[in-house]
Amino acid sequence: MTHTYTARPVPARTLKELAVADDAGRAPVPFTDEEGGAPLRCCLRRSTPGERIALVSYAPLRRWAAETGADPGAYDEQGPVFVHAGECAGPRTGALPFTNAPGWSAATRPRAASSAGGW
């Protein structure tokens, strides 16, 4: 069986809400991305050096369930996403998201931090 997944940007209305409080109830802490390369969920591209971004907690299924009256059940979760700290025009092209950054490959993907002992 083959599954097709479509990356969707965080909707503009939701971005405005996340600018006040994320889905964990925290106020965002914007910062200047000095290196670039963060996967921005608002416009489905990588950040560039010098952009103002924020790491926020986002629960898209929870939001969808609240709008439709569905019960997300065990699938109710939230996770960290990078978004622009201010207005974002959304995706610029129909290209595959996050794949067009120079120097970005599976070898340079961020990985979870762990100790020398593997934990």
Side-chain angles (χ1 to χ4, degrees), residues 9-81:
V10 175
R13 183 185 87 233
T14 301
L15 281 176
K16 289 180 181 178
E17 294 169 358
L18 293 173
V20 176
D22 69 12
D23 288 344
R26 293 183 203 90
V29 180
F31 64 95
T32 300
D33 186 357
E34 301 294 337
E35 297 180 12
L40 296 167
R41 283 290 303 275
C42 48
C43 53
L44 304 181
R45 67 168 177 82
R46 300 231 176 253
S47 63
T48 57
E51 283 189 289
R52 295 282 294 163
I53 63 175
L55 182 62
V56 298
S57 182
Y58 179 47
L61 182 62
R62 184 181 307 157
R63 287 174 173 271
W64 171 83
E67 289 175 9
T68 62
D71 177 10
Y75 294 96
D76 183 18
E77 63 181 356
Q78 61 193 28
V81 296

Side-chain angles (χ1 to χ4, degrees), residues 91-113:
R92 295 181 193 159
T93 70
L96 288 174
F98 311 128
T99 59
N100 56 352
W104 189 262
S105 70
T108 59
R109 261 193 333 240
R111 301 195 192 314

